[in-house]
């Protein structure tokens, strides 16, 4: 399956960026996911199909949330096996926070 992978940089974490992107992508019936990355950027992966409007996706990603400030959006086309749900969703890390192990408070 071909997917489009976008990396948004700038003030995109801690400002409800993922929430606003998820709402906008679901409104456009786009399948995919968004998640925070350990370097402070945000990754957005969408299923590529013939009806996909890349400019619309870029507009959504650059607009972001009211408190976000997007500096750049990088796009790559990739072939990979990703299981998408029927909607656009937020995905989370597995057992790690911002690329670091989670430690219990003593």
């Amino acid at each position: 399956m071909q997917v489009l992978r976008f990396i948004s940089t700038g003030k995109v974490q801690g400002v409800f960026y993922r929430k606003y992107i998820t709402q906008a992508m679901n409104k456009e019936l786009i399948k995919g996911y968004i998640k925070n990355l350990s370097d402070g950027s945000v990754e957005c992966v969408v299923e590529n199909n013939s009806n996909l409007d890349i400019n619309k996706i870029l507009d959504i990603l650059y607009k972001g949330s009211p408190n976000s400030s997007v500096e750049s959006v990088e796009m790559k086309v990739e072939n990979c096996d990703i299981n998408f749900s029927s909607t656009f969703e937020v995905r989370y890390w597995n057992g790690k926070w911002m690329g670091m192990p989670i430690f219990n408070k003593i």
Side-chain angles (χ1 to χ4, degrees):
M1 169 191 313
Q2 193 176 66
V3 299
L4 301 178
R5 185 178 308 273
F6 300 88
I7 304 294
S8 300
T9 61
K11 186 179 175 185
V12 292
Q13 289 191 16
V15 290
F16 298 98
Y17 182 77
R18 292 176 300 160
K19 177 184 176 183
Y20 276 80
I21 299 304
T22 300
Q23 290 172 345
M25 295 292 195
N26 278 320
K27 183 178 177 184
E28 297 295 325
L29 303 176
I30 297 171
K31 291 182 182 180
Y33 70 85
I34 191 165
K35 70 177 183 177
N36 286 342
L37 299 178
S38 62
D39 64 358
S41 63
V42 173
E43 175 187 59
C44 174
V45 178
V46 300
E47 182 179 42
N48 196 6
N49 63 51
S50 60
N51 298 327
L52 194 63
D53 183 351
I54 294 172
N55 289 325
K56 181 67 174 174
I57 293 172
L58 288 170
D59 287 345
I60 291 168
L61 293 173
Y62 271 108
K63 181 179 179 184
S65 69
N67 293 322
S68 66
S69 177
V70 180
E71 292 175 6
S72 68
V73 177
E74 178 184 325
M75 183 188 84
K76 292 181 184 178
V77 179
E78 299 179 357
N79 291 313
C80 59
D81 293 326
I82 297 178
N83 294 324
F84 291 109
S85 69
S86 60
T87 62
F88 195 87
E89 65 185 1
V90 175
R91 291 201 179 167
Y92 300 93
W93 53 90
N94 292 323
K96 294 187 177 184
W97 169 257
M98 303 301 283
M100 300 176 66
I102 297 174
F103 296 99
N104 292 328
K105 189 174 182 180
I106 299 175

